Amino acid sequence: MKDNSLQGTRRFRVFISTGEVSGDLQGALLIKALQRRAADLGIELEILALGGDRMEEAGAKLLGHTSAIGSMGLVESLPYVLPTLKVQRQAKQYLRQHPPDVVVLIDYMTPNVAFCSYFPKHLPHVPVVYFIAPQEWVWSTSSFNTDRIIAATRKILAIFQEEANYFKRKGGEVVWVGHPLVDRVQAAPSRAEARFSLGIPTDQTAIVLLPASRQQELKYLMPVIFEAAQQIQAKLPNVHFWVPLALEKYRWEIEQAIADYGLRATLLDSNKGQTTLQAIAAADLAITKSGTVNLEMALLDVPQVVLYRVNRFTAWVARKILKFSIPFMSPPNLVEMKGIVPEFLQDEATVENITQEAIALLQPDRRQKMLADYQEMRRAVGEVGVCDRAAHEILDLLDYDRS
């Protein structure tokens, strides 16, 4: 390893690659943990990243901004191919001139699996860690990505026990650390605190709507979610909706949709200190896209209805040609492969289904059943300190004891 000494203090370079809003959040949590661990070890870190604003705020130097160029599906990914290739090319050029001491890949399947081919070939002495690997343990498809990941990585840090078991069976070096959201929700306010800060009366029914963290979701998910909200509003005159904003660039479209559907809704404004975590903590229910945020809701004991849709051609290819099949899609259900929250995928994601489930989950019996299932699930996602455990495993690969 190269001599990275700096005025008597060992200095190491860490490269982290992730994308989309959820990856940016998880990357920021990890960066803070890496910095804590580095301080304990008496070393300094230079953190380079492909990521977003949260990671930059946490202390990373961004080599490319990737939080807004993610997609899910075949047709949906086409507009992002060139931007993704561009930021990866920029990162590779920089890293060839400034080699990292360790590489951490977080989620972001296609670009990061490509890195699994790149680093062993061009920077073979740099250890690679994959944190939150692609979910081939869930999909009924080939293990092509799994094989590439195992061949490229020194460690796989698993967030689910079933994920850890899968990669171990395939021959990977795996450590189960738990899910990083276990750490994040420690900062969440109580329900009473969240309602007070958002000005929600104690007797008001508050429903969080999470329609989009990707551009495609504004087209495929927001209309069905907002129409279901419209129907719920007609049945429950005391309801008010809260809509977190994943990215500022979505503001105009969401504001326009709220007006078009005539919803009694508030779009959260981070400039006023209104956060997604606050809205979730204050809510009686969430109607949400499938994603990492589903687990956040479960950890905060908020009942939820989950849905996802993609382009019809993408869905047809996945089903008929790739034979794509999943038992579950949302993280709360994946923890123990058990149906805890209702999921509606593609043609099942109808206004009627969503409305019916939402109304049912506002009733005490259904709510209590889901909260009991959440409690059982919580034991399987790891103890607090997930990101610190991950940081320990990552920095343990550095030769920081060498004089």
Side-chain angles (χ1 to χ4, degrees):
M1 181 176 292
K2 59 186 181 297
D3 185 4
N4 292 325
S5 59
L6 179 66
Q7 298 179 344
T9 301
R10 298 281 288 138
R11 184 177 176 87
F12 296 90
R13 184 174 295 127
V14 179
F15 172 63
I16 302 174
S17 172
T18 190
E20 304 190 302
V21 173
S22 61
D24 185 34
L25 169 61
Q26 291 153 350
L29 293 171
L30 179 62
I31 287 169
K32 293 173 184 176
L34 287 169
Q35 291 168 336
R36 289 193 296 270
R37 178 63 179 161
D40 290 342
L41 294 171
I43 63 176
E44 293 187 3
L45 298 180
E46 177 189 8
I47 299 178
L48 309 173
L50 294 179
D53 294 341
R54 284 190 173 99
M55 292 174 69
E56 188 169 38
E57 290 167 5
K61 173 183 176 181
L62 291 188
L63 303 182
H65 206 293
T66 58
S67 62
I69 59 174
S71 61
M72 179 75 72
L74 302 174
V75 175
E76 297 85 347
S77 66
L78 293 178
Y80 302 105
V81 172
L82 292 180
T84 299
L85 291 174
K86 179 180 179 181
V87 296
Q88 284 211 309
R89 186 166 58 249
Q90 291 170 345
K92 291 173 183 177
Q93 182 178 3
Y94 188 92
L95 295 173
R96 281 197 297 269
Q97 298 173 1
H98 309 277
D101 295 288
V102 64
V103 169
V104 182
L105 309 177
I106 302 177
D107 202 359
Y108 204 37
M109 183 180 70
T110 302
N112 278 344
V113 170
F115 270 140
C116 284
S117 297
Y118 177 81
F119 284 112
K121 181 178 180 180
H122 297 279
L123 293 169
H125 301 298
V126 178
V128 176
V129 178
Y130 214 126
F131 183 32
I132 313 178
Q135 295 180 344
E136 287 187 345
W137 57 279
V138 179
W139 309 331
S140 298
T141 55
S142 73
S143 61
F144 177 70
N145 289 330
T146 296
D147 296 339
R148 293 173 72 182
I149 290 169
I150 290 173
T153 55
R154 191 77 62 85
K155 290 181 182 179
I156 298 169
L157 304 182
I159 59 174
F160 298 127
Q161 188 65 64
E162 283 297 320
E163 173 194 1
N165 295 341
Y166 170 83
F167 280 104
K168 284 179 181 177
R169 287 197 303 270
K170 293 290 185 178
E173 185 66 32
V174 188
V175 178
W176 176 56
V177 293
H179 202 291
L181 287 188
V182 172
D183 293 346
R184 171 169 159 81
V185 299
Q186 301 309 304
S190 68
R191 174 183 166 85
E193 291 168 340
R195 287 198 158 223
F196 177 79
S197 63
L198 293 174
I200 303 174
T202 56
D203 61 344
Q204 185 176 75
T205 300
I207 298 179
V208 169
L209 307 178
L210 285 105
S213 62
R214 302 180 178 107
Q215 185 69 43
Q216 70 188 71
E217 292 162 351
L218 294 173
K219 177 180 179 180
Y220 295 118
L221 300 182
M222 186 167 67
V224 69
I225 289 175
F226 279 17
E227 188 175 343
Q230 188 181 53
Q231 292 201 9
I232 293 167
Q233 181 173 280
K235 298 174 185 292
L236 303 175
N238 193 41
V239 73
H240 189 89
F241 301 100
W242 295 83
V243 188
L245 191 63
L247 293 171
E248 182 62 32
K249 71 178 201 171
Y250 301 156
R251 178 178 294 277
W252 183 87
E253 283 186 75
I254 294 177
E255 285 179 337
Q256 188 63 47
I258 288 172
D260 290 345
Y261 285 92
L263 299 181
R264 294 189 296 273
T266 299
L267 185 62
L268 292 183
D269 190 341
S270 59
N271 294 325
K272 297 179 181 178
Q274 298 173 334
T275 68
T276 301
L277 209 55
Q278 276 182 327
I280 294 172
D284 296 293
L285 175 73
I287 302 174
T288 171
K289 56 168 291 238
S290 177
T292 303
V293 73
N294 304 150
L295 186 59
E296 197 167 38
M297 293 168 183
L299 292 171
L300 291 175
D301 281 335
V302 177
Q304 58 188 298
V305 181
V306 179
L307 67 146
Y308 210 80
R309 283 178 168 180
V310 293
N311 178 279
R312 287 189 176 276
F313 178 73
T314 295
W316 183 86
V317 170
R319 186 170 58 251
K320 299 295 186 180
I321 298 178
L322 301 180
K323 306 301 181 184
F324 181 83
S325 175
I326 54 173
F328 301 108
M329 61 179 172
S330 59
N333 293 345
L334 293 174
V335 173
E336 294 186 296
M337 302 303 282
K338 172 184 176 182
I340 295 175
V341 303
E343 301 178 344
F344 297 109
L345 181 62
Q346 209 59 23
D347 293 339
E348 292 183 353
T350 64
V351 172
E352 293 73 26
N353 284 343
I354 296 163
T355 302
Q356 182 177 344
E357 283 293 330
I359 296 292
L361 282 170
L362 290 171
Q363 306 308 309
D365 55 339
R366 283 291 304 279
R367 176 184 178 86
Q368 288 307 314
K369 173 64 168 65
M370 186 171 289
L371 296 187
D373 287 341
Y374 282 168
Q375 187 66 30
E376 182 179 340
M377 178 218 72
R378 192 173 286 115
R379 292 192 290 268
V381 293
E383 301 294 331
V384 174
V386 171
C387 292
D388 288 320
R389 289 192 290 275
H392 176 88
E393 294 293 337
I394 292 164
L395 297 188
D396 193 49
L397 294 172
L398 301 179
D399 188 16
Y400 50 76
D401 288 327
R402 185 173 64 84
S403 58

